[in-house]
């Protein structure tokens, strides 16, 4: 069984750990594996205690930025996050999408697939740029005179992340 609770409040931290403890003992009695999806650096998750009550932890290594423009999973953020879960429990969960931010909007970025990014870049003859610091690609463009910034993950980021994960 895999548990994937999203948007938990930090006040529910102990309740989640208690839930996982009960679930783990119940499912392990029947020889079943228990896993949990966890975001990096989230105070609602007691990583040290949760690792006692699961066989694997799927670390969601994406969404570093989704409210404000920026990398989806910068290499430094990614590498730091990897160290938060014991290697024998870790399953690295990687993204393959992006966020398109309208600079004039107060809303978070709009999720876009890699296919949508490439189609838009090709159709509008947009140049994909590379941020050396984060090691993530991005595109800047205007739509109806509104500035947009679109950050995404691609095969280069996947390869770099895979190398960090297996080392």
């Amino acid at each position: 069984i895999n548990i994937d609770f999203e948007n938990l409040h930090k006040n529910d931290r102990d309740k989640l750990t208690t839930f996982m403890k009960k679930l783990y003992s119940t499912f392990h009695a029947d020889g079943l594996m228990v896993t949990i999806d966890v975001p990096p650096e989230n105070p609602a998750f007691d990583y040290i205690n949760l690792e006692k009550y699961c066989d694997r932890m799927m670390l969601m290594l994406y969404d570093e930025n989704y409210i404000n423009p920026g990398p989806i999973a910068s290499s430094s953020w990614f590498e730091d996050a990897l160290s938060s879960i014991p290697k024998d429990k870790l399953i690295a969960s990687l993204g393959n999408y992006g966020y398109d931010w309208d600079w004039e909007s107060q809303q978070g970025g709009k999720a876009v697939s890699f296919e949508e990014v490439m189609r838009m870049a090709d159709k509008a003859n947009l140049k994909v740029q590379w941020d050396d610091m984060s090691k993530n690609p991005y595109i800047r463009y205007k739509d109806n005179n509104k500035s947009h910034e679109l950050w995404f993950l691609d095969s280069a980021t996947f390869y770099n992340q895979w190398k960090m994960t297996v080392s």
Side-chain angles (χ1 to χ4, degrees):
I1 183 169
N2 180 64
I3 301 302
D4 182 7
F5 292 142
E6 308 258 341
N7 303 313
L8 292 177
H9 192 275
K10 65 182 177 182
N11 293 342
D12 293 328
R13 176 182 170 117
D14 292 338
K15 291 175 187 168
L16 174 63
T17 303
T18 300
F19 171 77
M20 288 302 295
K21 182 177 182 178
K22 290 178 183 176
L23 191 78
Y24 185 76
S25 92
T26 301
F27 279 88
H28 261 235
D30 290 330
L32 298 172
M33 182 177 272
V34 175
T35 64
I36 186 170
D37 293 9
V38 295
E41 304 169 359
N42 186 318
F45 292 82
D46 181 355
Y47 302 98
I48 291 171
N49 281 313
L50 284 173
E51 73 184 55
K52 297 174 191 173
Y53 308 117
C54 66
D55 298 295
R56 300 287 182 275
M57 297 176 90
M58 297 185 200
L59 186 58
M60 299 183 288
L61 294 163
Y62 43 82
D63 283 355
E64 175 183 6
N65 293 290
Y66 57 93
I67 301 297
N68 298 309
I72 306 303
S74 67
S75 61
S76 59
W77 176 85
F78 186 94
E79 195 165 28
D80 288 346
L82 281 175
S83 66
S84 67
I85 306 294
K87 294 278 186 206
D88 64 326
K89 299 270 184 172
L90 176 67
I91 295 177
S93 181
L94 309 178
N96 183 28
Y97 63 93
Y99 287 109
D100 185 355
W101 286 275
D102 174 347
W103 272 89
E104 296 175 26
S105 172
Q106 298 299 313
Q107 302 295 323
K110 175 188 169 217
V112 290
S113 71
F114 179 76
E115 180 183 1
E116 290 171 303
V117 172
M118 293 295 100
R119 191 179 309 123
M120 182 177 66
D122 184 51
K123 184 178 177 182
N125 200 26
L126 300 172
K127 182 181 178 205
V128 173
Q129 299 178 61
W130 182 259
D131 180 63
D132 285 329
M133 190 166 202
S134 70
K135 296 185 176 28
N136 279 195
Y138 66 97
I139 296 171
R140 288 190 178 124
Y141 70 97
K142 288 203 181 267
D143 183 30
N144 295 324
N145 286 327
K146 291 183 179 182
S147 295
H148 283 253
E149 194 165 323
L150 194 162
W151 288 80
F152 60 100
L153 300 170
D154 65 357
S155 59
T157 54
F158 180 87
Y159 177 75
N160 290 333
Q161 291 171 345
W162 174 76
K163 282 178 46 180
M164 281 188 266
T165 302
V166 297
S167 66

